[in-house]
Amino acid sequence: MARYAVEHIWEGKKEYFLIRDHQSWQMVLLPSKYLTHLIRANRSPNTVGRRAKSIRFYLEYLNETELELSKVAEQEFQEQYEHYVGFLHWLKAGNHLNDKKEKLPSNKTCNAYLKDVFRFFCFLELEADMERLKVLYYDSFTTHDSIGVKRKLRFRLFNGYLKEEERNVRPAEHNEILELLKQCTNCRDQLLIMLLAETGYRIGEILGVDYTRDIDYERHTIRVFFRDDNENRARAKNAAYRKAKISDATFQFLLFYLSKYRELLQHQQMLFVNIEGETRGKALQVDAVYRMLERMEKKTGIHTTPHMLRRYFGNMRRDAGWPLEMISEAYGHKHTDTTIKYLNIVDDQLMEASDQYYAKHSVLYDVEKLL
């Protein structure tokens, strides 16, 4: 049995994560305090759970290397650097897996675990007066918000991460969405696909929509509110509030859906519900959406995920001329560099944009006078 374990505790509708040490409570007091901090900051259960798991893996690594948290912070640069690179390779080798038959993690997954550990150490700097890690260095960039105000963002970097594999997540195509809508067997699934494509919301945000409070029926907007008591446990990420306007046609289809399933919906506040089976009338959950899309793939040959529909939203807005900051705000991203990764900007488009720019600004530096 692993020395450290993550316990997932539900008390009513409140969720908690606790790291237990089967030998001593001393090593887990600070991690549990950190997880409590995340929960109070309204971080999503998935985020808290992932960071709990990352810290558990790191504590197991510390146990094998016979180190304490405070001793790591006191190490000199090279020793500290080798320690964290060693942790990455320890993860890559699958030493954290209970079942050695499990698939080994990707480089990106290993890096994500280490980034979570660094976030934990940043918390310890503030809460436990722990020495700042020497292997992390500061960098910054200046960006503008949607109204043009400059902001300087600082972040910490580590140059020992594993080289990540290219992740090619493409956006859904317009003709694919049309085909899926034609092949859906009910208007609930059709509405779900439409709203994901027109709002750019995450699947958890869409499933958390309360049709009695979150829809402005006059302005045709759907709002995202943070709530941690939804029946299907869907919630807005990081307690972010946003709203999105949908097309008049989609709004009319929304009203049709509400009318068609009014008998089910009158006992439920969530917009999307199960429409058949033993759970008929209960709030729709994420797993059910993925199963529906898998059935659609077998039927149409079109692979689609909620995230692909989310990317479709951003790319369509970019093609329509929306500025990057506006798309980023609609997505609910904290940083525009995350938005850039979502947009399907290929080399040819960058070259074309560069050609157009230089055609308009061909004498930027008076080069002819220098020849």
Side-chain angles (χ1 to χ4, degrees):
M1 180 172 60
R3 174 175 173 179
Y4 300 99
V6 176
E7 291 194 7
H8 189 183
I9 304 169
W10 280 89
E11 293 183 2
K13 292 185 177 180
K14 294 294 183 180
E15 188 172 24
Y16 301 92
F17 292 87
L18 183 66
I19 295 183
R20 289 192 182 276
D21 181 345
H22 295 298
Q23 298 181 23
S24 168
W25 283 98
Q26 185 177 4
M27 279 287 285
V28 298
L29 181 60
L30 289 172
S32 296
K33 185 178 180 181
Y34 172 60
L35 298 177
T36 301
H37 159 74
L38 294 177
I39 292 169
R40 289 175 177 171
N42 287 331
R43 304 309 295 268
S44 71
N46 288 339
T47 297
V48 180
R50 190 196 69 233
R51 294 194 186 179
K53 184 166 63 172
S54 300
I55 295 171
R56 174 170 64 87
F57 293 155
Y58 183 64
L59 292 177
E60 291 175 357
Y61 176 69
L62 288 179
N63 186 45
E64 290 191 15
T65 54
E66 299 181 350
L67 279 172
E68 296 289 335
L69 285 170
S70 58
K71 297 299 181 183
V72 174
E74 295 170 1
Q75 289 177 332
E76 295 302 320
F77 175 87
Q78 189 60 35
E79 187 179 9
Q80 200 175 88
Y81 179 87
E82 292 175 357
H83 169 76
Y84 286 116
V85 170
F87 176 56
L88 287 172
H89 289 285
W90 182 85
L91 291 167
K92 186 65 180 176
N95 291 300
H96 62 298
L97 301 176
N98 292 326
D99 184 355
K100 298 306 178 183
K101 294 181 180 180
E102 291 183 49
K103 183 180 178 181
L104 294 178
S106 66
N107 288 358
K108 183 174 183 178
T109 299
C110 294
N111 291 341
Y113 288 144
L114 181 54
K115 290 174 184 177
D116 286 340
V117 171
F118 285 151
R119 292 185 181 100
F120 172 50
F121 268 93
C122 291
F123 172 81
L124 295 183
E125 290 176 19
L126 299 174
E127 296 295 324
D129 294 325
M130 189 169 288
E131 188 175 337
R132 178 179 296 177
L133 293 179
K134 302 176 181 64
V135 295
L136 296 181
Y137 63 96
Y138 278 103
D139 201 349
S140 64
F141 70 93
T142 301
T143 184
H144 298 76
D145 62 20
S146 58
I147 59 174
V149 177
K150 285 185 178 181
R151 291 189 302 163
K152 190 169 185 180
L153 302 178
R154 300 185 73 200
F155 51 94
R156 289 178 170 183
L157 296 175
F158 174 65
N159 64 4
Y161 289 120
L162 299 174
K163 183 177 180 181
E164 296 186 5
E165 307 85 349
E166 290 291 332
R167 186 189 180 202
N168 186 24
V169 179
R170 67 175 182 84
E173 299 289 342
H174 184 68
N175 62 330
E176 293 176 334
I177 295 174
L178 292 178
E179 183 61 26
L180 289 174
L181 292 174
K182 289 179 183 178
Q183 297 299 328
C184 284
T185 58
N186 60 75
C187 65
R188 181 207 62 186
D189 294 345
Q190 291 172 323
L191 179 64
L192 179 62
I193 292 172
M194 289 180 191
L195 292 187
L196 285 170
E198 287 203 3
T199 63
Y201 288 165
R202 300 173 179 90
I203 183 60
E205 293 170 336
I206 281 290
L207 295 185
V209 170
D210 179 335
Y211 74 90
T212 68
R213 291 188 286 176
D214 299 343
I215 300 176
D216 187 330
Y217 292 92
E218 181 179 351
R219 295 180 175 83
H220 299 184
T221 59
I222 298 178
R223 296 165 291 201
V224 169
F225 286 101
F226 173 81
R227 283 187 295 270
D228 61 2
D229 59 350
N230 291 330
E231 179 186 339
N232 57 0
R233 300 179 187 174
R235 54 188 274 169
K237 185 176 182 181
N238 299 333
Y241 164 80
R242 305 195 311 287
K243 64 180 178 179
K245 185 177 179 63
I246 61 176
S247 66
D248 291 344
T250 297
F251 180 75
Q252 291 302 318
F253 196 85
L254 167 63
L255 295 180
F256 168 73
Y257 163 79
L258 293 173
S259 175
K260 182 177 179 64
Y261 293 109
R262 61 184 180 278
E263 292 183 2
L264 293 177
L265 292 167
Q266 66 182 348
H267 304 294
Q268 173 64 255
Q269 291 180 305
M270 295 293 98
L271 176 61
F272 290 104
V273 298
N274 295 314
I275 56 178
E276 58 185 19
E278 295 180 357
T279 58
R280 187 170 184 267
K282 298 292 185 181
L284 189 65
Q285 297 193 357
V286 172
D287 291 345
V289 175
Y290 278 95
R291 289 196 298 270
M292 179 272 289
L293 292 173
E294 288 172 359
R295 291 194 300 270
M296 294 298 296
E297 181 176 0
K298 292 178 181 178
K299 188 175 182 179
T300 64
I302 299 172
H303 174 69
T304 311
T305 65
H307 192 67
M308 291 171 64
L309 292 168
R310 179 166 158 82
R311 292 204 172 200
Y312 163 84
F313 166 86
N315 280 277
M316 290 293 287
R317 271 56 181 179
R318 178 180 61 83
D319 291 343
W322 281 29
L324 177 63
E325 291 77 17
M326 188 178 294
I327 299 174
S328 184
E329 186 173 331
Y331 268 145
H333 285 157
K334 291 185 176 181
H335 306 296
T336 54
D337 57 338
T338 304
T339 308
I340 292 172
K341 295 176 183 178
Y342 277 44
L343 302 183
N344 193 27
I345 302 176
V346 297
D347 289 342
D348 290 344
Q349 291 172 305
L350 290 174
M351 294 302 103
E352 181 181 351
S354 297
D355 289 339
Q356 292 176 357
Y357 176 80
Y358 289 128
K360 295 179 180 179
H361 306 85
S362 57
V363 289
L364 287 173
Y365 314 110
D366 292 329
V367 175
E368 293 181 356
K369 295 180 182 179
L370 301 177
L371 296 176

